[in-house]
């Protein structure tokens, strides 16, 4: 059974810092990995998707990497802003199942 | 439509009543998921539909929960005899057949409160 773990569970940084969120998964036979953003009381949006054949994807200040063999992905946020404050969820798609990690709650302080 | 649409956005119901939640996927998306998210917790898988195949109901927490989807159209999640522990945000997601490339798109969810 696929298990997805995210570290840290919560992170608070001052504005302007670069930061890294970590995601690990137990079964490397995945089709893709998606990073989702969830704002309080709202649904999920997905800034980044990495297909299994890819090593990284970039969208603006966000960069996600994937090392399928070791079961790891990182989300790098450059020059963080208060508007980046949200919960970030990592989800892997394998078989017919989309499995989520527990999320990292990010707070960027002005 | 342009995105996944869920209705109602908020629902308050009395304990013991039945509720029906609706998900309108992106047109042409073959796969549809329902998830539940309790306050402060992660996403809990409920049920998965893929085209006309039999749904994967392995995540439904009890027989009070059921869901239907006809073909690749609207899905409804029904909760009978609601209990307070059913209070949560219910999220729906859809994906095209080549979801390894395009991934999943989520709706904004239905916030259910059982009083």
């Amino acid at each position: 059974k696929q298990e997805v773990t995210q570290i840290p569970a919560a992170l608070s940084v001052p504005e302007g810092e670069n930061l890294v969120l970590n995601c690990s998964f137990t079964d490397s036979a995945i089709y893709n990995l998606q990073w989702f953003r969830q704002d309080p009381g709202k649904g999920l949006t997905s800034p980044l998707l990495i297909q299994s054949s890819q090593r990284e994807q970039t969208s603006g200040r966000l960069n996600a990497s994937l090392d399928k063999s070791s079961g790891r992905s990182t989300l790098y946020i450059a020059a963080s802003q208060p508007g980046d404050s949200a919960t970030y969820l990592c989800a892997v798609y394998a078989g017919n199942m989309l499995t989520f990690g527990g999320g990292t709650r990010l707070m960027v302080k002005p | 439509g342009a995105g996944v649409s869920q209705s109602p956005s908020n629902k308050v119901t009395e304990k013991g009543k039945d509720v029906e939640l609706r998900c309108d996927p992106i047109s042409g998306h073959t796969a549809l998921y329902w998830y539940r998210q309790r306050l402060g917790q992660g996403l809990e898988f409920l049920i998965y539909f893929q085209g006309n195949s039999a749904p994967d109901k392995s995540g439904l927490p009890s027989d009070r929960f059921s869901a239907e989807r006809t073909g690749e159209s609207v899905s409804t999640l029904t909760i009978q005899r609601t209990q307070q522990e059913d209070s949560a945000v219910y999220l729906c997601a859809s994906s095209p057949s080549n979801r390894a490339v395009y991934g999943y798109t989520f709706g904004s969810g239905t916030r259910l409160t059982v009083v």
Side-chain angles (χ1 to χ4, degrees):
Chain A
K1 178 187 172 186
Q2 178 77 264
E3 292 183 3
V4 181
T5 304
Q6 291 187 245
I7 295 173
L11 181 63
S12 180
V13 299
E15 181 177 5
E17 273 203 7
N18 302 324
L19 58 98
V20 175
L21 309 182
N22 297 289
C23 172
S24 61
F25 46 96
T26 55
D27 186 346
S28 62
I30 66 171
Y31 294 121
N32 66 37
L33 182 147
Q34 269 184 278
W35 282 94
F36 290 90
R37 170 182 172 142
Q38 186 173 35
D39 292 280
K42 299 197 176 174
L44 279 67
T45 58
S46 181
L48 286 168
L49 176 149
I50 310 178
Q51 296 177 50
S52 62
S53 59
Q54 297 174 327
R55 299 280 296 181
E56 66 177 318
Q57 281 288 322
T58 298
S59 176
R61 293 181 294 105
L62 276 59
N63 175 276
S65 67
L66 174 65
D67 184 343
K68 208 172 70 162
S69 61
S70 67
R72 294 178 187 274
S73 176
T74 60
L75 179 65
Y76 176 81
I77 302 178
S80 58
Q81 301 173 358
D84 296 329
S85 298
T87 296
Y88 290 83
L89 296 158
C90 165
V92 297
Y93 170 50
N96 286 320
M97 187 58 61
L98 186 63
T99 304
F100 281 83
T104 294
R105 290 192 315 278
L106 173 65
M107 172 70 70
V108 181
K109 296 173 289 186
Chain B
V4 178
S5 178
Q6 291 188 245
S7 61
S9 56
N10 280 285
K11 176 71 176 179
V12 180
T13 190
E14 292 180 354
K15 178 181 172 181
K17 293 281 180 69
D18 297 352
V19 295
E20 191 173 277
L21 313 180
R22 177 186 170 105
C23 173
D24 206 336
I26 293 173
S27 179
H29 278 198
T30 58
L32 187 147
Y33 282 93
W34 283 98
Y35 282 84
R36 176 171 72 176
Q37 187 175 33
R38 289 186 167 128
L39 186 63
Q41 300 195 12
L43 273 74
E44 178 186 4
F45 165 73
L46 297 178
I47 189 168
Y48 162 67
F49 294 91
Q50 171 57 52
N52 292 313
S53 302
D56 178 349
K57 304 180 181 181
S58 60
L60 294 178
S62 77
D63 59 8
R64 296 186 296 104
F65 287 72
S66 63
E68 292 185 353
R69 186 188 189 199
T70 303
E72 297 177 2
S73 63
V74 170
S75 176
T76 55
L77 176 69
T78 301
I79 308 173
Q80 296 178 310
R81 306 180 303 281
T82 52
Q83 304 294 314
Q84 287 185 329
E85 63 262 28
D86 299 334
S87 296
V89 176
Y90 290 81
L91 291 159
C92 172
S94 72
S95 179
S97 56
N98 50 346
R99 49 193 171 275
V101 175
Y102 294 105
Y104 288 82
T105 302
F106 276 79
S108 298
T110 293
R111 181 175 299 277
L112 175 66
T113 304
V114 182
V115 298

